[in-house]
Amino acid sequence: MDRIINELDDARTAAGLSKAALARAIGTNPDAIRRLLTAGHVNPTLGTLAEIAAVFGFRIALEPLPDAERENLTEPLLRGEHADPTALAAYLADVRDGSSLRLAS
């Protein structure tokens, strides 16, 4: 989440747009944008992130896992189990850190 927020803030800076102007563009309170872009731990909605991304010509995208990961991760999760809990924990940590998410233009 932090990575996505940082990339959106970088796009805002590159566009020369103030936080208040960004808030006006998506019809929200400027304080909410300031908290989102400056607080350490925030929990924005996907809709808010998508609106901000759209201002800069981006969209938030999900991408499918490669077949091997899908077989090793998705199928056991759907069964309520996971063959390698250590690998699952490491993968989910990467997802939380944003390394498995990306902005698509």
Side-chain angles (χ1 to χ4, degrees):
M1 189 64 67
D2 288 342
R3 181 174 165 211
I4 291 172
I5 291 169
N6 289 337
E7 288 190 31
L8 291 172
D9 196 30
D10 290 346
R12 180 193 62 79
T13 301
L17 200 62
S18 70
K19 292 172 186 167
L22 174 57
R24 282 191 299 276
I26 65 168
T28 195
N29 184 322
D31 289 337
I33 295 298
R34 278 192 279 283
R35 281 191 304 274
L36 174 66
L37 299 179
T38 58
H41 296 286
V42 294
N43 192 19
T45 66
L46 183 56
T48 298
L49 293 176
E51 288 176 343
I52 294 170
V55 169
F56 304 112
F58 291 103
R59 67 176 167 237
I60 307 295
L62 295 175
E63 59 184 52
L65 293 171
D67 289 340
E69 283 185 67
R70 185 174 298 167
E71 183 177 321
N72 292 325
L73 180 69
T74 305
E75 292 175 17
L77 285 172
L78 290 172
R79 293 191 305 266
E81 60 187 46
H82 197 278
D84 186 352
T86 304
L88 174 61
Y91 179 80
L92 293 176
D94 286 345
V95 169
R96 280 186 215 101
D97 291 340
S99 57
S100 295
L101 298 174
R102 67 182 181 142
L103 291 177
S105 56

